[in-house]
Amino acid sequence: ASARKIESQAKRNAPTGVSNRLKASIDVRGSKLEREVFTDVKYAPFVEFGTKSKVEIPPGLEGYAMQFKGSGGGSFKDFEASIKRWAQLKGIPEEAVYPIMKSILHKGTKAQPFLFPAFFAENGFSSIVRM
């Protein structure tokens, strides 16, 4: 029941993107005694913790988050396509796409925590001491 509560809250917390792929990917797996709330979307850690100078890692999760540092995601073409779709949905002119991409590549993206806040809320923690 606890894992399903975390899943539900994480889905409510997840930012709405062009396809809602992140939100739709949050799921629960495991046995009766041990459950795991997860997402298999490669960019999920970058949404959770942010990128570049905008990284925000909750105390106790530094070691866990470190595994994603510099691991990058998809191709430049995928990045461009995603920003173009996002800009189109927001009514942003196409000529703004490359300046937006340049800004993201240079400055990073702000953290939009969705999974760990759900975990902390369900388990009564303000942060994780160890993992």
Side-chain angles (χ1 to χ4, degrees), residues 46 50-54 76 79-80 82-84 86-87 92 96-110 112:
F46 307 109
T51 62
K52 303 266 184 183
S53 65
K54 299 182 179 186
F76 184 81
F79 178 42
E80 178 185 25
S82 293
I83 298 300
K84 281 184 177 180
W86 173 82
I92 297 170
V97 167
Y98 284 104
I100 291 168
M101 290 173 65
K102 184 177 177 183
S103 176
I104 290 170
L105 289 170
H106 178 69
K107 297 177 185 173
T109 58
K110 130 185 153 164
Q112 299 177 70

Side-chain angles (χ1 to χ4, degrees), residues 4-92:
R4 287 293 176 197
K5 286 179 187 176
I6 294 168
E7 173 197 24
S8 178
Q9 186 61 49
K11 285 183 176 187
R12 281 194 297 276
N13 294 347
T16 305
V18 174
S19 66
N20 284 327
R21 188 170 149 209
L22 177 61
K23 191 176 292 226
S25 74
I26 300 167
D27 204 354
V28 175
R29 65 181 168 208
S31 66
K32 273 185 161 180
L33 298 176
E34 187 174 281
R35 308 286 280 172
E36 176 184 31
V37 181
F38 73 99
T39 173
D40 58 1
V41 173
K42 284 185 176 186
Y43 60 83
F46 307 109
V47 174
E48 183 79 24
F49 301 121
T51 62
K52 303 266 184 183
S53 65
K54 299 182 179 186
V55 168
E56 294 177 21
I57 301 169
L61 291 178
E62 298 88 356
Y64 176 77
M66 187 58 88
Q67 69 183 305
F68 305 108
K69 185 176 181 176
S71 63
S75 69
F76 184 81
K77 211 173 205 42
D78 293 338
F79 178 42
E80 178 185 25
S82 293
I83 298 300
K84 281 184 177 180
R85 281 192 309 271
W86 173 82
Q88 189 176 32
L89 284 172
K90 298 287 186 177
I92 297 170

